[in-house]
């Protein structure tokens, strides 16, 4: 069954999606973080939940990118943010079975970037993530204690096959076990199942590397005051930190000076 998606966006505070609702189901996890309202570019990231637009990197400098800490403006039908090296415009519209978001990033030709729709979802510990069986998956260093072997010294990631790369099962969001894992899967679409509810996410972009990033924090982060947060993040690129991107690991602005992509969300599964 398809259900329309209602989206609420806070343009004044980073263009963050603060609600993604299908009927009585709220999909986005949020937390009380009043300091978020006072941030400036260059400030440390404040995790308020929702869906963040992370660009031109996720991890690294600036942490979670350069767009989340800036006010966005409404220009015609688009939400727009202007950063030092690029401008990002996003147009969100409802569809009969969900929503679409079209993106336009304008920058110098050759500009390299990573973008992620950093969606932190409010999921039960029975929820699961459906992706193509055997998809190549990168695990990042926080997963080291869970590997079925030692972490290779100096390597920024290790690789394996979905759903259990290097013995780390990733397709379930519980029960909470005090771990936190970041991964990037070579895929353009996925579906979250939580009991009877479905949320499918799909990404399209000509000539760009497409992936689904995963942040599965089951009470393992941060070390001093851990909480549960689960991210399913359609991504342009194949790394969290742009500085770690090798050939083919980052998106690139073509000669036209414009990079375009589309994020589609629906309430029925497309991953069968």
């Amino acid at each position: 069954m398809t259900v329309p998606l209602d989206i609420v966006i806070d343009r004044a505070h980073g263009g963050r999606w603060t609600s993604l609702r299908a009927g009585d189901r709220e999909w986005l996890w949020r937390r009380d973080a009043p300091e978020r309202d006072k941030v400036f570019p260059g400030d440390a990231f404040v995790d308020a939940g929702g869906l963040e637009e992370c660009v031109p990197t996720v991890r690294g400098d600036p942490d979670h990118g350069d767009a989340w800490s800036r006010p966005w403006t409404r220009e015609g039908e688009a939400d727009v943010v202007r950063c030092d090296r690029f401008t990002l415009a996003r147009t969100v519209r409802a569809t009969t079975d969900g929503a679409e978001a079209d993106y336009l990033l304008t920058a110098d030709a050759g500009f390299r970037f990573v973008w992620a729709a950093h969606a932190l979802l409010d999921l039960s510990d029975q929820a699961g993530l459906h992706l193509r069986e055997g998809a190549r998956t990168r695990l990042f260093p926080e997963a080291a204690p869970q590997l079925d072997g030692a972490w290779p010294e100096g390597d920024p990631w290790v690789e394996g096959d979905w759903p259990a790369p290097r013995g780390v099962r990733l397709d379930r969001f519980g029960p909470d076990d005090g771990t936190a894992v970041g991964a990037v899967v070579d895929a353009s679409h996925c579906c979250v199942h939580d009991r009877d509810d479905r949320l499918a996410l799909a990404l399209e972009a000509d000539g760009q590397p497409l992936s689904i990033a995963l942040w599965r924090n089951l009470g393992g982060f941060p070390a001093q005051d851990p909480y549960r947060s689960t991210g399913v993040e359609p991504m342009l690129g194949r790394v969290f930190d742009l500085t770690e991107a090798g050939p083919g690991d980052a998106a690139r602005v073509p000669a036209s000076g414009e990079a375009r992509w589309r994020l589609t969300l629906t309430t029925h599964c497309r991953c069968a």
Side-chain angles (χ1 to χ4, degrees):
M1 182 178 69
T2 62
V3 180
L5 284 168
D6 294 322
I7 298 171
V8 177
I9 293 171
D10 186 354
R11 297 181 186 88
H13 305 103
R16 182 170 66 101
W17 303 30
T18 58
S19 179
L20 179 65
R21 181 173 289 275
D24 294 333
R25 171 65 191 252
E26 173 58 64
W27 280 101
L28 293 181
W29 171 87
R30 294 160 294 181
R31 65 195 295 257
D32 186 31
E35 65 272 27
R36 175 61 185 267
D37 293 347
K38 302 175 183 178
V39 299
F40 290 92
D43 285 355
F45 180 65
V46 176
D47 187 5
L51 185 153
E52 304 278 8
E53 303 285 357
C54 294
V55 61
T57 191
V58 182
R59 299 180 182 177
D61 186 20
D63 186 20
H64 285 72
D66 200 24
W68 73 270
S69 59
R70 298 175 184 267
W72 294 48
T73 58
R74 187 71 170 175
E75 300 182 13
E77 297 183 349
D79 301 325
V80 179
V81 62
R82 289 178 171 80
C83 300
D84 292 340
R85 297 189 61 195
F86 65 91
T87 296
L88 180 63
R90 175 192 63 202
T91 303
V92 180
R93 58 184 167 276
T95 63
T96 57
D97 61 353
E100 291 177 345
D102 284 329
Y103 293 82
L104 169 62
L105 186 142
T106 305
D108 292 340
F111 177 71
R112 298 173 77 240
F113 66 97
V114 170
W115 165 85
H118 186 278
L120 294 180
L121 302 182
D122 188 7
L123 301 176
S124 75
D125 61 8
Q126 299 179 40
L129 179 61
H130 290 244
L131 282 154
R132 178 177 55 84
E133 190 86 12
R136 202 63 177 160
T137 304
R138 291 179 173 179
L139 284 172
F140 291 80
E142 60 272 5
Q146 302 177 63
L147 293 189
D148 54 9
W151 189 273
E153 185 176 355
D155 286 1
W157 60 76
V158 296
E159 294 191 350
D161 296 333
W162 181 268
R166 299 289 296 269
V168 182
R169 191 72 185 259
L170 294 178
D171 58 342
R172 295 294 170 188
F173 291 100
D176 291 357
D177 58 8
T179 65
V181 178
V184 175
V185 186
D186 284 349
S188 61
H189 60 277
C190 66
C191 189
V192 178
H193 293 201
D194 195 358
R195 299 186 174 92
D196 294 332
D197 297 327
R198 303 289 183 267
L199 180 67
L201 305 100
L203 189 59
E204 304 169 69
D206 291 340
Q208 306 287 7
L210 305 178
S211 62
I212 302 294
L214 172 66
W215 173 243
R216 196 188 65 175
N217 174 23
L218 302 180
F221 177 88
Q224 294 77 20
D225 187 19
Y227 53 87
R228 174 185 169 93
S229 58
T230 51
V232 178
E233 309 172 24
M235 175 185 279
L236 297 186
R238 299 179 65 229
V239 292
F240 288 111
D241 189 338
L242 180 61
T243 64
E244 296 177 348
D249 287 342
R252 187 181 295 270
V253 174
S256 65
E258 296 181 343
R260 298 177 182 270
W261 62 95
R262 172 175 288 179
L263 173 63
T264 302
L265 305 98
T266 62
T267 54
H268 60 90
C269 188
R270 297 183 173 186
C271 300

